[in-house]
Amino acid sequence: MQLIKNGSFVQDEWTTLADDEALPASGPVIVSLERFNTEQNLLLAREGKLGIRLKSGQEPTPIAPYLDRLALVALEFPTYRNGRAYSYARMLRDRFGFKGEVRAVGGVLRDQFFYMSRVGFDALEVDDNITPEAYADAVSTFTEVYQPSADGRERVMSLRQRLAAKAGQHA
Amino acid sequence: MYRYDQFDQQLVDERVTEFSGQVARRLSGELAEDDFKPLRLMNGVYLQLHSYMLRIAIPYGTLSSRQVRKLAEIERVYDKGYGHFTTRQNLQLHWPALKDVPAILRELASVEMHCIQTSGNCIRNTTSDHHAGAVPGELEDPRVICEIIRQWSTFHPEFSYLPRKFKIAVSATEHDRAAIRIHDIGVQVVTNAAGEIGYEVWVGGGLGRTPIIGKKIADFVPREDLLAYLESILRVYNMFGRRDNSYKARIKILVHEIGAEDMRRQVEAEFAEVKTRGVLQLPDDEVARIEKYFAAPAWEDLSDDVPEIDALAAKDKGFAEWLRNNVSAHKVPGYSIVNVSLKPIGLTPGDCSADQMDVLADIADKYAFSEIRVAHEQNLCLAHVRKRDLHEVYQALNASELATPNIGLITDQIACPGLDYCNLANARSIVIAQRLSERFSDIEFQKKIGRLHVNMSGCINACGHHHVGHIGILGVDKKGVEYYQVTLGGAADETAAVGDIVGPAFTEGEIIDAIDTIVETYLGLRQDGEIFIDTYRRVGVQPFKDKLYATH
Amino acid sequence: MAQHSRKGAQFQAVTANRLADGIVVYLTAANEWSVSLQDADVAEGKEAAEALLARGQKFYVPDILVVDIYLFEVEKTDGGIRASSVREIIRQAGPTVRTDLGKQAEIDGVHA
């Protein structure tokens, strides 16, 4: 596994803790929602950044009140075919205004990087065979987009309006 | 019709590059079949019995003559000289090689066509009324909103890995020719008390293993909010649709399990959020820009009475039959809608040869504003033909076996490719359609029977819409032998209903006689002015059961 | 995948589709993929069939050569090998409604 963060291949500073694994005194850790629910006070009071990993089926609304104290939310793709977390990522960004890392873990295919980057994922855990070239190629497949999404890209409809307005000025 | 601008063209071109790369990675072995399969499916490439199949999108069933000629050329160069029109207004090539698909896509892109999202668990081609823009009583041309939906749904980053496929259809007249109630989302154009255009939204319709008629969850969504409303439905579905069992993954199951009321509530809650952000609102000038492409052609000021056509009809019986059965009323005086039957007696429903397509393109150029439509009943349509040209159009169509006067009659059957082509099929469907059409080939008898929709599918996936045929035929496999189950009383229009299973399935040898018995039973029971479905709704299934299982 | 042989089928062969063009092929005794069913290696009994399938799946880089490899039931007749199910008869011959297309129109020995 390697980590791509904001388009760069980086060292992962986070430790994903199993539910029965002892909590280290410091350092960034990712815990499950179940663990967060049972050890919430301890986790929030702890030194070091905190992240929560949501399984498919655990939608992000219940953690919304804590998002300002979280530095990361990891969303699981049990298989690449299961696209629930695309909506979860968008909710985190668009609805709850989450500014921390949103990480895709599990079934994350090269041919999905583009979609993932559009719905608000800024970090992807990918297979070791993914090269920086393959990544760059995948996310630049399409120059323009038809829909507004969490990436804030201007949709084709607005581009057309701007073009038309410009043409109007010159006319 | 709509024409791509620089943005639309660029997207489709970039898609060709992307998919060509995926095919190259697969052929080189870099991509394994399991990983490639969802990618090829999202581009309409299936592996069927004899070879691959490529499904080409025909957005809302509208084609230009230039596109039709290109399709014919592709069929000749890369396939076996014909294509198959489907119940979702698409065209399927049955014999392309995977290695040729990139080249085919480049050809398609050169005429503003593609195979994007013609399969896979994503939002599929949005379908509509093949009489759009021509039929009397239409509130607006439904293709405008279809094109807007097409763009919104194309490479939608959030909804490309849905629990299951997702189909949207739009109708703008009271009489529903787009079968919106059997779609995941059906959109009905309506007006409110203030006379403004808006949309009624139906959700959770679908056929397959669990046929369900859609439920209405919105009475009036203003035009500017339609995309926000659709996005809300899709988000609820993407988050809560079942993913544990592919047979229970369609939105109809979610709606069925939580109930239409709860669905409406969840969608409304989501809609309130989406609307607040405002980013999906439809700008008026973008709607106006797209509307221009669907502006009415330059109508001539013509009389609706064309005595020379009446005179020709009096002399030419074939022409008269065709006029009566295949030509529909147009909203503009002096014009007609010409329905082109792809159901010649004894041939394959929905198949059209490359030569026929070239003929159609020529006819469309000469007589029909260069436009050809695809109907979900697997027929084609010339939407605007001057009445005075009807005889010439008839002769040109008839010379290419495109004027069988059977639109809406018993031989105008819907049939999926079935076991002759399809990897999923359990039984053949085309051969049954052919035998049935031969049995009922006498046009006088067809007219006596009246409007009767016979739909057949070769498996439970119901591509042939058997559940909503007045008579439905479903092919099933019993230990390697084909059997056919019959349903009665289905309908796909505004009176949509799922047919009732009449009883035990029939063998291949029995099925045509069984349909004959059903027809004879109906003829014996019908009252004045009734068509089959009226009689069936009045008398129910029992009289048919009695006759069928007494004699068999 | 659907079952393409009856339980207790006596004779079975292995089929697949060629990756590049989708054409139906059969595993031969020489460990090649032939377009003709008449060239197929036929296994008798369950164990031999499983061994045949394993040969098709494992030994000949099938992933870039062919896809969708499976066993199906055949009969040995005086005229040659014959598929048992309607589905496999159609696969090895072509559409019954277009006898001008498919293997039935292209190669000999299709309708054994």
Side-chain angles (χ1 to χ4, degrees):
Chain A
M1 277 301 151
Q2 32 182 3
L3 182 68
I4 305 175
K5 177 81 193 281
N6 293 321
S8 306
F9 286 66
V10 298
Q11 199 62 41
D12 189 0
E13 55 162 355
W14 290 83
T15 306
T16 300
L17 287 187
D19 282 355
D20 56 0
E21 209 173 328
L23 190 61
S26 62
V29 292
I30 302 171
V31 298
S32 69
L33 177 65
E34 291 80 1
R35 185 160 189 176
F36 177 75
N37 284 338
T38 51
E39 300 174 35
Q40 201 180 97
N41 294 336
L42 187 68
L43 287 165
L44 290 172
R46 177 181 167 275
E47 291 260 332
K49 293 189 281 188
L50 178 63
I52 295 180
R53 177 171 169 136
L54 298 179
K55 294 190 182 71
S56 177
Q58 295 177 331
E59 54 119 350
T61 310
I63 62 164
Y66 311 102
L67 285 173
D68 56 351
R69 294 149 84 183
L70 298 177
L72 174 148
V73 177
L75 300 174
E76 246 176 61
F77 290 85
T79 77
Y80 65 86
R81 290 191 189 88
N82 183 332
R84 256 183 199 154
Y86 290 97
S87 287
Y88 296 170
R90 258 197 101 179
M91 283 179 84
L92 284 169
R93 297 295 191 206
D94 286 353
R95 185 152 318 159
F96 304 129
F98 182 59
K99 298 283 190 289
E101 177 174 322
V102 179
R103 180 181 292 197
V105 298
V108 178
L109 289 191
R110 161 183 170 161
D111 301 278
Q112 300 175 316
F113 296 167
F114 176 74
Y115 293 139
M116 288 183 176
S117 69
R118 289 219 60 211
V119 294
F121 288 102
D122 57 347
L124 312 170
E125 264 184 33
V126 303
D127 271 355
D128 287 338
N129 61 13
I130 299 295
T131 61
E133 293 73 30
Y135 175 81
D137 195 40
V139 292
S140 62
T141 306
F142 298 105
T143 313
E144 306 297 350
V145 297
Y146 279 130
Q147 318 78 6
S149 189
D151 56 356
R153 285 174 69 172
E154 195 172 10
R155 63 175 165 164
V156 162
M157 247 179 219
S158 340
L159 293 173
R160 283 177 182 142
Q161 286 181 285
R162 281 206 289 125
L163 269 185
K166 219 164 148 190
Q169 278 168 9
H170 292 305
Chain B
M1 58 184 283
Y2 188 71
R3 295 300 308 266
Y4 285 4
D5 69 1
Q6 68 200 76
F7 301 112
D8 301 309
Q9 188 67 53
Q10 184 175 18
L11 242 102
V12 166
D13 290 343
E14 287 170 343
R15 173 60 180 155
V16 175
T17 306
E18 181 190 36
F19 191 70
S20 304
Q22 290 167 347
V23 170
R25 277 154 63 208
R26 177 68 192 100
L27 292 174
S28 75
E30 185 186 336
L31 263 181
E33 184 62 17
D34 277 355
D35 292 338
F36 178 63
K37 193 171 170 184
L39 302 179
R40 70 164 156 76
L41 284 180
M42 231 175 272
N43 205 59
V45 181
Y46 288 75
L47 182 61
Q48 296 290 32
L49 292 184
H50 313 291
S51 79
Y52 289 95
M53 179 269 273
L54 180 65
R55 186 178 292 148
I56 299 168
I58 301 173
Y60 34 89
T62 297
L63 287 165
S64 67
S65 54
R66 176 166 159 258
Q67 292 173 324
V68 169
R69 284 196 186 91
K70 178 58 80 178
L71 292 172
E73 181 194 323
I74 291 171
E75 287 171 358
R76 286 195 187 94
V77 175
Y78 298 102
D79 208 84
K80 294 187 187 289
Y82 71 108
H84 178 75
F85 288 99
T86 74
T87 51
R88 297 217 74 253
Q89 301 180 315
N90 291 320
L91 181 74
Q92 292 179 175
L93 303 181
H94 284 312
W95 305 87
L98 178 62
K99 60 183 169 49
D100 291 336
V101 171
I104 296 173
L105 294 182
R106 277 194 297 279
E107 294 288 343
L108 289 172
S110 75
V111 293
E112 304 173 18
M113 294 187 78
H114 59 74
C115 301
I116 295 166
Q117 292 169 212
T118 52
S119 177
N121 294 337
C122 48
I123 304 171
R124 305 284 188 88
N125 183 29
T126 297
T127 53
S128 191
D129 181 356
H130 54 288
H131 290 178
V135 68
E138 188 175 80
L139 292 172
E140 67 174 356
D141 191 323
R143 294 172 302 168
V144 175
I145 203 69
C146 285
E147 175 56 29
I148 289 168
I149 295 171
R150 182 190 77 81
Q151 296 187 20
W152 161 78
S153 61
T154 298
F155 306 129
H156 198 298
E158 188 180 341
F159 306 133
S160 290
Y161 291 87
L162 295 168
R164 201 71 178 80
K165 59 188 167 182
F166 203 91
K167 302 173 181 177
I168 304 176
V170 184
S171 164
T173 56
E174 232 166 275
H175 177 44
D176 174 11
R177 276 171 300 272
I180 67 165
R181 287 159 188 82
I182 56 166
H183 279 76
D184 295 283
I185 292 179
V187 176
Q188 176 73 44
V189 184
V190 290
T191 48
N192 64 6
E196 295 157 334
I197 294 275
Y199 307 96
E200 204 175 80
V201 180
W202 296 68
V203 65
L207 302 177
R209 204 164 286 250
T210 316
I212 298 181
I213 301 301
K215 309 282 187 300
K216 188 167 75 169
I217 61 163
D219 296 312
F220 188 87
V221 178
R223 174 146 66 189
E224 59 178 24
D225 291 332
L226 183 66
L227 290 186
Y229 198 85
L230 296 181
E231 181 135 318
S232 305
I233 296 173
L234 264 300
R235 184 162 303 139
V236 169
Y237 171 55
N238 192 40
M239 298 214 310
F240 302 108
R242 286 179 62 172
R243 292 177 187 265
D244 56 328
N245 177 340
S246 68
Y247 297 125
K248 297 186 171 168
R250 294 287 290 271
I251 195 173
K252 64 190 174 188
I253 303 295
L254 177 65
V255 175
H256 182 71
E257 285 179 354
I258 68 175
E261 242 344 279
D262 201 28
M263 186 70 194
R264 177 202 293 260
R265 198 182 47 72
Q266 289 197 37
V267 170
E268 290 289 341
E270 193 59 45
F271 182 48
E273 293 277 355
V274 176
K275 223 165 41 167
T276 318
R277 299 189 50 250
V279 293
L280 263 177
Q281 233 183 21
L282 264 184
D284 287 343
D285 40 6
E286 179 65 5
V287 177
R289 186 188 77 88
I290 292 175
E291 266 171 350
K292 267 189 217 156
Y293 288 110
F294 296 99
W299 307 120
E300 290 170 53
D301 197 5
L302 299 170
S303 163
D304 212 35
D305 294 319
V306 189
E308 63 266 36
I309 289 298
D310 300 340
L312 285 163
K315 280 191 294 191
D316 180 345
K317 188 160 178 293
F319 177 53
E321 295 293 359
W322 178 81
L323 269 184
R324 192 176 308 117
N325 279 302
N326 291 19
V327 177
S328 312
H330 195 282
K331 65 179 179 182
V332 175
Y335 286 86
S336 289
I337 300 172
V338 169
N339 298 292
V340 177
S341 170
L342 294 183
K343 317 290 172 66
I345 300 300
L347 294 177
T348 302
D351 272 13
C352 190
S353 73
D355 293 347
Q356 286 177 317
M357 288 175 77
D358 280 340
V359 165
L360 277 162
D362 291 346
I363 296 173
D365 280 343
K366 199 163 172 199
Y367 301 105
F369 299 96
S370 302
E371 198 178 307
I372 292 149
R373 311 283 184 82
V374 186
H376 88 266
E377 295 91 349
Q378 300 177 286
N379 291 313
L380 300 175
C381 168
L382 303 165
H384 319 291
V385 176
R386 287 185 304 203
K387 281 190 168 177
R388 67 163 185 252
D389 294 334
L390 283 172
H391 192 250
E392 286 172 39
V393 169
Y394 164 71
Q395 286 177 312
L397 290 172
N398 199 31
S400 293
E401 270 195 292
L402 291 165
T404 311
N406 59 355
I407 297 289
L409 299 178
I410 188 170
T411 61
D412 179 13
Q413 306 154 78
I414 292 176
C416 71
L419 192 54
D420 279 301
Y421 294 95
C422 179
N423 205 4
L424 299 172
N426 292 319
R428 286 170 296 160
S429 44
I430 296 169
V431 72
I432 302 302
Q434 292 176 338
R435 287 182 204 156
L436 197 65
S437 97
E438 277 159 0
R439 171 73 65 93
F440 290 95
S441 62
D442 176 15
I443 186 65
E444 291 306 325
F445 189 48
Q446 289 187 55
K447 273 158 53 186
K448 183 178 169 198
I449 296 166
R451 187 157 74 83
L452 175 52
H453 301 302
V454 181
N455 297 357
M456 63 201 74
S457 308
C459 79
I460 194 67
N461 290 302
C463 296
H465 292 184
H466 63 275
H467 300 106
V468 291
H470 294 168
I471 298 176
I473 302 175
L474 165 66
V476 294
D477 169 288
K478 290 188 186 176
K479 297 182 176 162
V481 180
E482 298 157 297
Y483 278 80
Y484 295 90
Q485 193 179 73
V486 174
T487 51
L488 297 177
D493 60 7
E494 65 280 9
T495 66
V498 172
D500 309 309
I501 295 173
V502 73
F506 301 95
T507 63
E508 184 191 343
E510 293 165 345
I511 181 66
I512 305 299
D513 287 338
I515 303 302
D516 209 37
T517 302
I518 290 165
V519 169
E520 290 298 342
T521 306
Y522 144 69
L523 289 174
L525 289 167
R526 83 162 157 196
Q527 296 177 351
D528 277 356
E530 282 185 340
I531 61 169
F532 176 85
I533 189 70
D534 302 327
T535 305
Y536 182 79
R537 285 175 177 161
R538 182 170 54 76
V539 304
V541 73
Q542 200 55 48
F544 296 94
K545 263 186 201 278
D546 293 347
K547 278 275 166 44
L548 280 167
Y549 298 102
T551 49
H552 289 274
Chain C
M1 183 183 298
Q3 199 63 39
H4 299 291
S5 296
R6 284 177 311 137
K7 222 175 165 184
Q10 188 185 5
F11 297 114
Q12 297 184 76
V14 166
T15 183
N17 291 75
R18 259 188 337 227
L19 172 66
D21 58 11
I23 298 301
V24 175
V25 288
Y26 302 94
L27 184 65
T28 70
N31 292 324
E32 286 167 340
W33 295 100
S34 167
V35 294
S36 172
L37 176 60
Q38 299 318 318
D39 297 337
D41 195 5
V42 175
E44 183 167 4
K46 197 170 165 226
E47 275 175 29
E50 277 166 11
L52 185 66
L53 181 62
R55 246 173 59 204
Q57 284 172 333
K58 291 194 187 116
F59 300 151
Y60 304 98
V61 284
D63 197 47
I64 57 163
L65 213 58
V66 298
V67 290
D68 218 10
I69 305 165
Y70 61 88
L71 282 168
F72 69 104
E73 189 175 351
V74 295
E75 289 151 26
K76 284 182 164 176
T77 69
D78 291 345
I81 304 164
R82 202 178 177 284
S84 300
S85 70
V86 179
R87 174 195 155 94
E88 292 305 326
I89 291 169
I90 290 174
R91 269 183 91 242
Q92 66 109 22
T96 63
V97 292
R98 286 292 301 265
T99 50
D100 58 325
L101 300 177
K103 292 178 195 290
Q104 57 202 348
E106 289 160 12
I107 60 173
D108 293 331
V110 165
H111 288 291

